[in-house]
Amino acid sequence: MGLIVQKYGGSSVADIEKIKFVARKVVETKRKGNKVVVVVSAMGKTTDNLINLAKQINPTPPERELDLLLSTGEMVSVALLCIAIETLGEEAEGFPGYFAGIKTDSFHTKARIQRIEPGRIIEELNRDKIVVVAGFQGLSPENLITTLGRGGSDLTAIAIAAAIKADICEIYTDVEGVFTSDPNKIPEAKLIPSISYDELLELASTGAKVMQSRAVEFAKKYSVSFVVKSTFKEGEGTMVKELEVKEGAVVSAVSIDENQAKITIFGVPDKPGIAGKIFSSLGKENINVDMIVQNTGKDNRADLSFTVNINDMEKALKITEKVAEEIGAEKVNGDADICKLSIIGVGMMNHPGVAGRMFTALAEAGINIEMISTSEIKISCVIRKKDGEKALKKVHQEFIEKRG
Ligand code: ASP
Ligand code: MG
């Protein structure tokens, strides 16, 4: 007998048959003697469709009203799932975020959870009901509906699990868990039985998005361990928790991000303050810069390259060109034909030589490395986009398949 939070994503409740399936799963869990709280996302592509409706009226809809609109998506799922659960003979109580005690700040469309008052959830659980909560939404101090950023139902589930001290939080989705690489590209990719919060966060930042990053950060902060698993396929899934370094393999996963672009400023005067000027201009416009490399050239001039998300490339180019002119740099170049290959693993922290192995593997495949960046548990290389899949295969072989 346990206290369980289950979260079902949009693809798990995309149509009525799926909602009925989820209801059976939930009821089964309850009938095993557990108390169950279910968090649901909006059906399928509902959220995108709602955003699209609003944009047909105004390309930048007011955020308060957008939140009001988006919150309806999750409510539909809650109501339908409750109907399906009751049809199976169990009692259900469905809550929008504001009845579930989810209090946020006032930053509409990306509100942060400030606290959870789980009184009503607990009351209904004690009445032997299955509680179904709308994910992705909360209530601001002004008593307005807020949403928690795209993918925010994950955060709702983790935060509720923390607040009610659930025994386990299960995140159900359309994949079987976290893999050593993208199984669509690497058939040899294996399911990872357990992974640390930090590795999962690095994976998200290198292009392999399994869960909302904010939800993982929240789970880490409050030590909520959770499991990611498939709704429709049986399996153990991937356990996410704080890992002892010795438990991890050297490299846990290899990922590729094909949504990166490289911007290079040639002939930057080599003097103090220039880099500060370039990157604060980008920061002011909310452009996230990832990797940065500077080559000191001749005549007191340097070339400076950095990467941004491909969607930000045009904007970043405009800003950079303007700054380049101000500082007297020679020219600016944008390059979208790149990708970022990363290896991630807490095991790297106490295994020297990992970088060398990665670079040698790439060299053996005849692949040139253009930029490198490292953290304690990650090494990323920028390479040509056309080399991406080959590099991914080679590096996955080197670190994951060789391990046996
Ligand atoms: N429905 C919201 C979205 O699509 C929240 C979620 O699915 O977690 O972003
Ligand atoms: Mg979703």
Side-chain angles (χ1 to χ4, degrees), residues 269-284:
D270 200 4
K271 59 180 188 214
I274 298 280
K277 188 157 184 166
I278 295 169
F279 294 109
S280 41
S281 309
L282 292 163
K284 264 187 223 139

Side-chain angles (χ1 to χ4, degrees), residues 7 9-10 41-42 44 47-48 74 136 149-154:
K7 181 256 170 178
S41 292
T47 308
D48 290 329
E74 269 66 17
F136 176 55
R150 295 307 304 268
S153 300
D154 289 333

Side-chain angles (χ1 to χ4, degrees), residues 85-150:
I85 289 171
E86 298 195 333
T87 309
L88 296 173
E90 291 293 332
E91 275 192 277
E93 193 70 37
F95 288 143
Y98 45 87
F99 282 158
I102 297 166
K103 310 286 184 184
T104 73
D105 59 23
S106 310
F107 290 96
H108 286 277
T109 73
K110 46 187 172 303
R112 291 194 172 262
I113 293 182
Q114 290 183 324
R115 61 180 195 285
I116 297 206
E117 294 167 2
R120 287 214 49 194
I121 294 179
I122 290 167
E123 239 172 69
E124 299 302 336
L125 286 174
N126 288 338
R127 291 199 179 108
D128 208 32
K129 290 190 185 173
I130 293 169
V131 175
V132 184
V133 179
F136 176 55
Q137 55 187 264
L139 195 67
S140 74
E142 295 79 29
N143 281 330
L144 294 168
I145 293 179
T146 49
T147 63
L148 309 175
R150 295 307 304 268

